[in-house]
């Protein structure tokens, strides 16, 4: 149980930190608000250990927060810094820009599709479950994209959904090449396109990006016609809907 909460704490902070990476920010500090229906020291200790692990991996400090009585809730607020005028946004993509992603996609969705996020007996996570519980915010990549990427976002709701946000904000369309999309071993193409929870970066750039310290793939290009296509076939920006009934 302690191990499970440690994994949850690690994930809670890292997925928030991914938003800093998507804006090219350097990590600063995090605040954590926790509510519990009753005291549970073992549960809270495991969560705190996971938060500590993720903060150490991210070069961030957990500076404080709050604990109160209520339904179980973990809220993480992350803070960072970026030079004035250098923040990556969703609104700068231009026709002709290449579309890129870091890492591989679909692993977290493939893990969720299984029964119970299967784990190994010793408490270790198998490769797909690690993609869900142990995402790595691409902080180094985000900072190296300053001055190179015209637009960027982290892939939390699915590649098509999040790329769609860039297209909407930039008033452009996207043409993707299916075979160029990196899919995590054990995941499906559908997992990669619309599964979400990968926390990789998707970005547009007019030039070949520098070494980002991780795998980087060019998966298509920005076009001036509104919409999204894969190998010439129109597609909808499918993915996680936050306010779906």
């Amino acid at each position: 149980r302690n191990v499970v909460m440690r994994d949850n704490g690690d994930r809670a902070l890292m997925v928030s930190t991914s938003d800093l990476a998507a804006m090219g920010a350097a990590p600063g500090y995090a605040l954590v608000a926790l509510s519990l229906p009753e005291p549970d020291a073992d549960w809270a200790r495991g969560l705190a250990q996971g938060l500590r692990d993720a903060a150490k991996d991210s070069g961030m400090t957990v500076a404080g927060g709050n604990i109160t009585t209520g339904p179980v809730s973990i809220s993480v607020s992350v803070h960072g810094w970026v030079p004035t005028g250098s923040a990556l946004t969703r609104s700068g993509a231009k026709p002709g820009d290449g579309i890129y992603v870091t890492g591989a996609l679909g692993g977290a969705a493939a893990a969720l599709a299984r029964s119970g996020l299967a784990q190994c007996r010793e408490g270790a996570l198998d490769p797909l479950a690690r993609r869900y519980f142990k995402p790595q915010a691409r902080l180094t990549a985000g900072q190296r994209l300053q001055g190179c990427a015209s637009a960027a976002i982290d892939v939390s709701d699915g590649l098509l959904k999040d790329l769609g946000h860039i297209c909407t904000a930039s008033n452009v369309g996207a043409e993707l090449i299916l075979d160029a999309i990196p899919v995590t071993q054990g995941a499906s193409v559908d997992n990669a396109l619309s599964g979400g929870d990968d926390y990789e970066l998707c970005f547009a750039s007019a030039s070949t990006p520098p070494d980002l310290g991780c795998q980087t793939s060019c998966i298509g290009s920005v076009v001036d016609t509104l919409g999204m296509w894969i190998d010439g076939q129109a597609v909808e920006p499918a993915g996680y809907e936050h306010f779906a009934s």
Side-chain angles (χ1 to χ4, degrees), residues 156-158 161 165 194-195 237-245:
S156 55
D157 296 336
K161 178 66 70 175
H165 293 323
S194 58
Y240 179 71
E241 292 284 353
H242 287 262
F243 296 102
S245 58

Side-chain angles (χ1 to χ4, degrees), residues 2-85:
N2 181 279
V3 170
V4 172
M5 287 316 303
R6 186 168 183 165
D7 291 337
N8 286 330
D10 190 316
R11 173 179 161 78
L13 192 140
M14 195 62 78
V15 301
S16 297
T17 304
S18 181
D19 286 326
L20 296 180
M23 298 192 73
Y29 62 95
L31 302 174
V32 180
L34 172 66
S35 64
L36 284 174
E38 58 186 26
D40 189 331
D42 186 57
W43 189 97
R45 186 176 297 110
L47 180 74
Q49 290 170 343
L51 292 168
R52 177 200 62 194
D53 292 345
K56 182 178 179 180
D57 288 344
S58 301
M60 182 179 295
T61 299
V62 178
N66 186 58
I67 301 176
T68 190
T69 302
V72 174
S73 175
I74 306 165
S75 299
V76 179
S77 173
V78 294
H79 304 258
W81 293 271
V82 66
T84 301

Side-chain angles (χ1 to χ4, degrees), residues 17-27 80-83 86-89 138-147 152-153 201:
T17 304
S18 181
D19 286 326
L20 296 180
M23 298 192 73
W81 293 271
V82 66
S86 297
L88 306 179
T89 69
R138 297 296 191 181
L139 290 163
T140 297
Q143 292 172 75
R144 291 180 181 179
L145 284 172
Q146 291 179 21
I153 194 170
L201 297 184

Side-chain angles (χ1 to χ4, degrees), residues 18-25 86-94 97-102 138 141-156 159 161-167 169-170 172 200-205 212 222:
S18 181
D19 286 326
L20 296 180
M23 298 192 73
S86 297
L88 306 179
T89 69
R90 302 176 182 183
S91 60
K94 300 291 191 296
D97 287 355
I99 299 172
Y100 298 82
V101 292
T102 61
R138 297 296 191 181
Q143 292 172 75
R144 291 180 181 179
L145 284 172
Q146 291 179 21
C148 172
S150 56
I153 194 170
D154 67 329
V155 182
S156 55
L159 173 63
K161 178 66 70 175
D162 291 314
L163 178 56
H165 293 323
I166 288 180
C167 290
S170 300
V172 295
E200 298 291 349
L201 297 184
C202 175
F203 62 94
S205 177
L212 301 182
V222 177

